[in-house]
Amino acid sequence: MKKVFMLSAAVLMASAGIATAAQCTNDTWNKVMSRGKMVVGVKADYKPWGFRDESGNLVGMEIDMAKAAAEAMGVDVELVPVQSSNRMQFLEQGKIDLMIATMSDRPDRRKIVGIVQPNYYTSGTNIMAPKALGLTKWEDLRGKPICGKQGAFYNKIVTERYGAKVIAFTGNAEAKQALRDKKCIAWVYDDSSIGSDLASGNWDDFEMPLSSEDDNPWGLAVPLAEKDCIFGNFMSGLSYNWLQNGQLIEWEKKWGIKPTSFLADKKERFKDWIE
């Protein structure tokens, strides 16, 4: 596996050679390689993509991705918890070298950080609500208090489109506790995360009753100045390999995530023509 990654990296670096010489400083790439360690921003409260286990260690699907990226580069990894509200600033300010933190790929964000292609996952907007409420349509949220997380774009969707009154909390744990405490009638968030919560057995009296909207691809990001340089091209190659060889599907299974058509479709689209 590592040989595949390194071969892809070598090809990508060679193809990027002209642009590198003419335009790229490769400051972050060079910093990572010289100190032998990559600092990756990840979620610590978004199970199963990034969360703390009973020993306090950061684990999850995106943690595995971060470790695999560092291994492919031949460096150690340091994991730094980030929030939706600060993850792009951390990358801009150099507090992290790479960000793998459940970030939807959006045009406004591409102006701030270097979101590389291809995308590695996708999700949509939905809610978790008590079964007893019997919510059946998005219009049921109009004028009602809805718990959300600060910085999440889902808040804007339910506010502007459906007239919900969002109460934003600093973290997912606080928002979901507020739902249990009946400070709101539902928690608006990512359908994949809600699905995992419901499957955990800790939310048996709750449901995800609505049809998901605004399916959005997720992207990992390098500093904007390095998106089309060595670092960005390396991570693009790595993302492609993970989609093509089914590694992301394997991580999906490992962490008990409901299989997504996105990963299955990408694996089929990118398969080797000789197979």
Side-chain angles (χ1 to χ4, degrees):
M1 182 71 69
K2 188 171 181 178
K3 290 181 178 179
V4 174
F5 289 155
M6 297 309 292
L7 177 59
S8 297
V11 172
L12 286 164
M13 285 188 285
S15 65
I18 296 176
T20 298
Q23 305 166 9
C24 299
T25 63
N26 299 307
D27 288 342
T28 301
W29 173 271
N30 292 332
K31 178 179 67 177
V32 170
M33 300 308 288
S34 65
R35 74 183 176 198
K37 182 178 73 175
M38 179 165 60
V39 182
V40 186
V42 296
K43 289 292 187 67
D45 61 351
Y46 202 118
K47 190 177 183 179
W49 285 273
F51 63 102
R52 293 192 184 278
D53 64 14
E54 294 180 352
S55 300
N57 299 313
L58 285 168
V59 296
M61 179 168 170
E62 291 183 332
I63 310 305
D64 286 351
M65 294 169 63
K67 291 179 178 178
E71 182 183 4
M73 293 172 65
V75 299
D76 296 331
V77 64
E78 177 182 340
L79 303 171
V80 173
V82 297
Q83 296 286 335
S84 299
S85 57
N86 65 20
R87 56 192 171 187
M88 290 191 290
Q89 286 78 9
F90 272 32
L91 192 59
E92 279 187 294
Q93 296 166 0
K95 293 181 179 178
I96 57 177
D97 306 312
L98 175 70
M99 185 239 290
I100 311 178
T102 67
M103 185 180 70
S104 295
D105 183 2
R106 299 171 64 84
D108 57 331
R109 292 173 175 172
R110 290 193 183 192
K111 298 176 182 178
I112 301 172
V113 295
I115 301 174
V116 303
Q117 297 297 303
N119 299 114
Y120 67 89
Y121 211 75
T122 187
S123 66
T125 306
N126 213 312
I127 62 167
M128 181 164 68
K131 293 178 180 177
L133 292 181
L135 302 178
T136 58
K137 57 185 182 300
W138 284 95
E139 282 295 333
D140 291 339
L141 307 184
R142 187 167 298 280
K144 304 294 195 316
I146 305 297
C147 289
K149 182 181 179 182
Q150 293 177 4
F153 73 90
Y154 316 112
N155 303 345
K156 186 177 181 180
I157 290 174
V158 298
T159 298
E160 295 185 350
R161 193 176 297 166
Y162 299 110
K165 297 180 178 178
V166 173
I167 306 169
F169 295 83
T170 55
N172 289 336
E174 292 87 348
K176 287 187 283 187
Q177 185 57 49
L179 175 61
R180 288 191 187 277
D181 294 340
K182 301 182 179 179
K183 295 179 179 178
C184 53
I185 67 164
W187 173 52
V188 61
Y189 209 61
D190 168 84
D191 59 357
S192 296
S193 179
I194 292 173
S196 295
D197 280 331
L198 294 175
S200 70
N202 297 320
W203 296 87
D204 290 343
D205 295 330
F206 293 77
E207 63 180 349
M208 185 164 57
L210 308 181
S211 298
S212 295
E213 295 193 352
D214 304 301
D215 205 31
N216 268 280
W218 293 7
L220 55 84
V222 301
L224 183 60
E226 300 196 34
K227 175 181 174 295
D228 298 319
C229 302
I230 293 175
F231 200 7
N233 283 310
F234 182 91
M235 291 309 307
S236 285
L238 207 51
S239 296
Y240 171 83
N241 283 342
W242 289 339
L243 291 164
Q244 196 268 348
N245 63 22
Q247 181 60 68
L248 287 165
I249 292 176
E250 291 301 314
W251 282 324
E252 197 179 46
K253 292 178 182 176
K254 173 183 176 181
W255 293 104
I257 301 170
K258 183 179 179 181
T260 55
S261 58
F262 174 82
L263 292 184
D265 291 345
K266 283 290 187 293
K267 188 174 187 296
E268 175 66 21
R269 180 177 298 180
F270 294 157
K271 72 178 182 181
D272 193 323
W273 66 274
I274 294 178
E275 292 179 357

